[in-house]
Amino acid sequence: MVNSDWLVDSLNANKLLDWKKYSLRKAENPISFASVKSRSLSLTGESDIDVLQDIDSDNESIDLGLLASQKGNQPLERKKPMDSSCPGFIKTYFEHSRLHFLSTWKQDLVFEIAEKIKTKPVPKTTNRIVFHIDMDCFFVSVILRKYPQYNDKPVVVAHSEKGDENSTSEIASCNYVARKYGITNGSFVGRAKELCQDLVVLPYDFEEIKQCTTELYNVLYENSDYMQAISCDEAVIDVSTVIKDHTPESSLEYAEFLRTEIKAKTGCNASVGIGPNPLLARLAVNFAKPNSKYFLDDIESVLDTPVGKLPGVGYQAKKKFASIDIHTIKDLQTLQVGKLKQIFGEKNGSAFYNIARGIDTRTLQNKARQTIGSDVNWGIRFKTQDQLEIFMKEFADEVFKRMKQAGLNCNHLTVKLKERDYAGEPWKFLGCGKCKDYSKAVNLDRIANSGDVIYKNSMNIINSFKIPVQELRGIGLHLKENGKVDIKQPKLDFTKRKPKTKVANFKRLKVDFPAVEVGNIPDYLIPSFSQIDPQIFKLLPKQIQKEQEELAKLKKKPIKKRVESKIAVFLDETCVKTITGWILEWCEMLTDIPDTLDMKLVIDYLHDLVDCSDMENCLTILQLIRNRLIKKNGKGPAWKSDTFMEIYNSVDDFIYSKYSNRLRLLDLD
DNA sequence: ATCCTCCCCTAC
DNA sequence: TAAGGTAGGGGAGGAT
Ligand SMILES: Nc1ccn([C@H]2C[C@H](O)[C@@H](COP(=O)(O)OP(=O)(O)OP(=O)(O)O)O2)c(=O)n1
Ligand SMILES: [Mg+2]
Ligand SMILES: [Mg+2]
């Protein structure tokens, strides 16, 4: 029941358009799929957009961003809207984002069911009876319990309190009365108000919703053989043995029993689709709604169903089908596999082929998540780099927090960016509008062990795109475990490069830590001194040798810390400080051109800092080295300045190779 | 051929 | 005012 209006809107003018013009434009310039590739979609005639954009860049953008800066006009001023340039934005944003709740709830449910279900036997895969249960207009049903006077009114749930005519607030859920007016989940309040003057807009009640979900899930879990969590208002259950007699009547009767239970526990209506597999059960629930049940054991009985109703057929696929004159399941059945694959690709092609025939062999599963990430594509407005950095610090901390919570040890970071691709303000209040999308990933070379590691790497990636901060409209941070990457020795000491460490070892980290074989702590976990190449060790200045031996004794402690936190701690500031100390002592002790191996160690270390995006420390150390090797007045032995320049140039080259940025000597001041 | 990176699409 | 998130599947096209 998802509506794609906003997507179309955002791809278009990104402006607050008069609704009538809006509808006209849509009617006159239908989207043509055939000619364009999705990346460069220009959906309507350019001239229209330009004209309309001009109209409101005059009256709207002035209106929106009014700051309370003028001193004289306190009563009249409008507050600056809370956007990403305000510290603390992230928190408020996620507290109010229904889609954030939807996603996190889903993850929680999948996790909970996955744990609980281990005690139940895995059902057979033949002769199944599968129920797909979905609450009717869930968010609305929940809030209507508090407002029974609106039961028979057209009702939606949205943030818009006043529900005024040009509200760009999105409707999370609308009841079936409202649907008669053409309102759908995902439409905008303003538009919905136009379609229906009497529309009642009610607020979210996330607490109550969560409560209902718990009740729903309890009923389903207790009364089924097996279960797959789908969302906060939806689940699939296997009832093949619960229902003894595999007749439609028995199934329907059992469905009615579940619906009654759910109604009793939640006060809300559930609908049930019944089928021999999850696909047909899913299709059946469409026919069951609202407030009923439907038995569907053969796709042939619903061949008139529009292809758009099929799972996996969304906005884009629907357009593709329309463009080749395929409208119903029956139409779809006429297409050969080859044709489908040609249009939708290998996998999707054969998926659609099977769906059209009601074929679905999937079993019910609650798969553990593999990635964790977050996106903010609303309210992203920066004027300065500082604002961006403050935001990113909060964002990185948030994502790191979630990573810990999820129990993942991620070593791979993806940053997603949206860059404004229109003039002025977008159509939706603080929306991202039509954007160019970018993403870039890095291997962290270590498990992300602090918000700071994520922050630094993110900033490097963001900066490498060279998008003016004012143009940013969306930011995403995503983490995963990249088992294919060789986990290198944390290279923050003067250690010889460690040969590749096997993935298997890395994987054990989170499950069975620290039970690693060989009777040793795995060496990729510890900046280990025992593994320093003895030859290199000998070459180190005496002072350093001694310190290393001392430090080696301390090294066992961090392990405990890791066990507790379940997160590997590879580096911390004290570690960097210690090594910086060694380097500086070494600088001061020099009496002649340094040993090449010592040079290499120092340079490697600085490269490592660059590698883990710790530019700050890298530059600081460079600066400290320079201060020790080059006098302010420029005098001093040539070999000293040569030594510094060799280090400096090497680091500069390395940074350039990685980020296409040149250091300037000025940066060190 | 197969893999990798940067996307795009879908569902709720 | 308004809160357009998130995870997984998969494809295009270049690298290997
Ligand atoms: N674009 C959307 C779609 C859904 N939801 C939320 C609100 C819905 O109530 C809930 C469940 O989604 P459904 O697709 O099941 O839709 P409803 O339950 O609202 O209606 P239906 O009776 O069609 O299931 O998810 C949302 O916030 N935004
Ligand atoms: Mg529902
Ligand atoms: Mg649902």
Side-chain angles (χ1 to χ4, degrees):
Chain A
M1 320 300 154
V2 185
N3 172 292
S4 296
D5 282 359
W6 72 265
L7 179 61
V8 181
D9 294 330
S10 65
L11 286 168
N12 280 293
N14 302 297
K15 280 293 163 179
L16 183 54
L17 308 172
D18 165 315
W19 286 113
K20 293 210 181 83
K21 274 182 200 152
Y22 176 69
S23 331
L24 184 69
R25 180 167 50 86
K26 261 180 101 173
E28 285 183 355
N29 299 290
I31 297 154
S32 152
F33 147 73
S35 57
V36 283
K37 221 182 123 42
S38 57
R39 188 69 209 288
S40 51
L41 272 182
S42 77
L43 295 173
T44 60
E46 298 264 320
S47 52
D48 273 13
I49 294 172
D50 292 347
V51 171
L52 292 166
Q53 269 182 345
D54 283 346
I55 290 171
D56 52 33
S57 52
D58 283 356
N59 53 27
E60 192 193 29
S61 43
I62 295 169
D63 195 33
L64 278 177
L66 273 186
L67 237 171
S69 52
Q70 297 286 356
K71 281 169 193 160
N73 57 352
Q74 281 290 359
L76 289 174
E77 85 201 6
R78 181 152 349 153
K79 258 211 206 147
K80 181 184 186 254
M82 174 74 154
D83 64 23
S84 62
S85 66
C86 312
F89 172 74
I90 301 238
K91 185 159 178 290
T92 12
Y93 178 62
F94 285 131
E95 278 168 5
H96 291 90
S97 165
R98 92 221 192 245
L99 291 173
H100 168 68
F101 279 104
L102 224 51
S103 297
T104 48
W105 284 335
K106 175 180 172 142
Q107 281 310 307
D108 292 350
L109 290 166
V110 168
F111 181 81
E112 279 169 30
I113 299 299
E115 289 295 302
K116 265 170 81 172
I117 206 91
K118 285 175 182 165
T119 59
K120 293 196 178 186
V122 177
K124 324 185 262 100
T125 54
T126 52
N127 286 321
R128 294 190 285 177
I129 305 178
V130 177
F131 281 15
H132 189 123
I133 300 90
D134 186 305
M135 304 297 285
D136 293 341
C137 49
F138 189 45
F139 284 19
V140 171
S141 303
V142 172
I143 193 70
L144 274 180
R145 303 185 307 180
K146 279 193 185 162
Y147 298 86
Q149 67 270 35
Y150 298 129
N151 269 337
D152 302 318
K153 299 264 187 183
V155 179
V156 301
V157 167
H159 280 301
S160 169
E161 275 163 39
K162 288 185 230 138
D164 85 34
E165 286 276 310
N166 23 9
S167 165
T168 64
S169 175
E170 231 174 284
I171 290 170
S173 181
C174 58
N175 69 356
Y176 283 78
V177 185
R179 287 180 203 195
K180 282 198 288 207
Y181 295 84
I183 298 166
T184 62
N185 289 1
S187 11
F188 297 99
V189 168
R191 158 113 98 146
K193 256 279 155 60
E194 250 202 8
L195 292 170
C196 170
Q197 307 291 347
D198 306 333
L199 191 68
V200 178
V201 183
L202 296 179
Y204 293 85
D205 192 338
F206 293 120
E207 278 305 314
E208 293 278 304
I209 291 169
K210 205 177 161 199
Q211 197 59 43
C212 274
T213 298
T214 305
E215 300 290 352
L216 168 70
Y217 268 64
N218 285 341
V219 171
L220 297 181
Y221 186 83
E222 295 304 327
N223 296 289
S224 62
D225 294 318
Y226 214 73
M227 180 169 178
Q228 176 176 333
I230 302 288
S231 79
C232 64
D233 87 325
E234 204 169 334
V236 184
I237 59 178
D238 187 310
V239 283
S240 309
T241 74
V242 175
I243 298 174
K244 298 278 181 296
D245 156 24
H246 284 208
T247 61
E249 291 71 29
S250 305
S251 292
L252 288 163
E253 194 184 315
Y254 196 68
E256 191 55 33
F257 158 70
L258 291 180
R259 286 177 4 85
T260 312
E261 284 289 292
I262 294 164
K263 178 84 181 188
K265 292 272 165 48
T266 67
C268 299
N269 293 334
S271 294
V272 179
I274 305 166
N277 62 43
L279 169 66
L280 289 172
R282 176 67 188 82
L283 288 178
V285 81
N286 288 336
F287 297 101
K289 276 174 180 295
N291 194 21
S292 189
K293 57 221 181 254
Y294 193 90
F295 181 91
L296 177 61
D297 68 345
D298 189 355
I299 193 91
E300 297 294 320
S301 56
V302 293
L303 291 184
D304 290 336
T305 307
V307 286
K309 298 268 182 206
L310 296 175
V313 179
Y315 180 73
Q316 297 295 333
K318 220 175 342 193
K319 279 197 302 184
K320 286 194 185 185
F321 279 126
S323 76
I324 55 172
D325 212 32
I326 298 295
H327 304 283
T328 64
I329 297 182
K330 195 195 294 202
D331 296 340
L332 180 53
Q333 285 188 342
T334 67
L335 292 181
Q336 293 179 321
V337 189
K339 183 71 178 172
L340 282 166
K341 288 184 175 178
Q342 184 195 322
I343 298 168
F344 296 101
E346 190 65 28
K347 295 274 179 61
N348 289 332
S350 69
F352 288 152
Y353 183 87
N354 287 327
I355 287 173
R357 286 155 186 76
I359 298 168
D360 178 19
T361 57
R362 288 172 304 171
T363 56
L364 306 196
Q365 284 183 313
N366 299 280
K367 288 193 200 159
R369 78 147 109 212
Q370 300 299 309
T371 71
I372 169 265
S374 184
D375 299 270
V376 180
N377 295 319
W378 187 88
I380 296 294
R381 298 290 186 281
F382 298 111
K383 294 204 186 66
T384 67
Q385 179 77 13
D386 278 358
Q387 292 172 348
L388 169 64
E389 285 174 10
I390 290 168
F391 173 89
M392 285 306 296
K393 277 205 174 78
E394 288 181 16
F395 199 16
D397 283 345
E398 170 69 20
V399 172
F400 177 61
K401 198 176 85 192
R402 292 190 201 178
M403 187 192 94
K404 276 192 294 189
Q405 174 77 31
L408 293 177
N409 289 327
C410 303
N411 61 339
H412 185 270
L413 168 74
T414 304
V415 177
K416 296 202 296 170
L417 295 180
K418 282 180 180 288
E419 181 186 17
R420 174 167 72 155
D421 196 21
Y422 53 90
E425 276 299 308
W427 176 81
K428 183 178 167 62
F429 178 67
L430 287 182
C432 62
K434 185 193 175 204
C435 284
K436 285 190 217 133
D437 289 326
Y438 306 94
S439 84
K440 199 165 170 49
V442 280
N443 287 312
L444 299 175
D445 286 350
R446 58 179 52 69
I447 289 161
N449 64 339
S450 68
D452 210 44
V453 166
I454 297 171
Y455 167 71
K456 282 173 173 151
N457 281 281
S458 305
M459 284 315 299
N460 280 331
I461 292 177
I462 293 176
N463 293 337
S464 78
F465 278 111
K466 307 214 181 304
I467 297 171
V469 292
Q470 306 89 322
E471 301 300 309
L472 286 174
R473 286 297 176 272
I475 302 178
L477 296 180
H478 295 257
L479 293 163
K480 67 171 175 177
E481 295 179 4
N482 192 351
K484 283 178 203 114
V485 163
D486 298 318
I487 305 306
K488 291 180 200 149
Q489 154 74 10
K491 301 170 290 185
L492 288 179
D493 49 299
F494 294 102
T495 306
K496 195 188 165 201
R497 281 282 183 286
K498 185 71 182 63
K500 296 168 184 180
T501 309
K502 274 295 175 246
V503 174
N505 281 344
F506 170 58
K507 281 289 177 191
R508 297 185 63 140
L509 228 182
K510 69 172 178 186
V511 213
D512 204 10
F513 191 77
V516 182
E517 59 213 64
V518 206
N520 282 326
I521 293 131
D523 35 32
Y524 51 87
L525 281 180
I526 315 170
S528 163
F529 298 87
S530 55
Q531 66 189 88
I532 292 183
D533 185 325
Q535 277 185 325
I536 292 184
F537 190 78
K538 246 186 280 166
L539 291 166
L540 291 172
K542 284 265 153 51
Q543 174 72 13
I544 294 180
Q545 289 183 17
K546 215 176 115 197
E547 292 211 25
Q548 286 203 352
E549 277 160 3
E550 273 172 24
L551 210 65
K553 293 171 200 159
L554 298 173
K555 274 301 158 179
K556 313 232 153 144
K557 289 196 174 164
I559 281 292
K560 271 186 198 156
K561 208 166 146 195
R562 276 179 225 127
V563 175
E564 284 157 18
S565 65
K566 292 259 186 186
I567 301 283
V569 180
F570 284 130
L571 60 126
D572 52 39
E573 284 299 316
T574 41
C575 185
V576 178
K577 282 204 185 97
T578 312
I579 293 165
T580 304
W582 297 345
I583 295 175
L584 297 181
E585 272 174 42
W586 170 79
C587 288
E588 281 159 8
M589 283 158 53
L590 288 176
T591 53
D592 202 344
I593 300 171
D595 183 275
T596 26
L597 258 174
D598 280 355
M599 273 300 269
K600 186 171 160 21
L601 288 169
V602 171
I603 286 172
D604 281 359
Y605 178 61
L606 291 171
H607 286 199
D608 290 342
L609 287 176
V610 174
D611 251 343
C612 60
S613 292
D614 196 345
M615 293 304 173
E616 227 169 300
N617 279 318
C618 179
L619 292 184
T620 309
I621 294 172
L622 267 181
Q623 187 182 348
L624 294 169
I625 295 175
R626 186 196 57 179
N627 294 347
R628 276 161 185 72
L629 294 180
I630 301 180
K631 291 246 161 57
K632 287 246 168 63
N633 58 20
K635 289 185 189 163
W639 66 262
K640 280 200 175 185
S641 48
D642 288 348
T643 299
F644 170 73
M645 285 315 293
E646 190 182 334
I647 297 171
Y648 174 86
N649 285 331
S650 159
V651 172
D652 182 40
D653 285 346
F654 189 69
I655 290 174
Y656 186 73
S657 72
K658 230 180 137 155
Y659 303 112
S660 309
N661 277 324
R662 282 287 177 202
L663 279 179
R664 287 162 303 139
L665 275 169
L666 280 176
D667 290 336
L668 300 185
D669 290 318

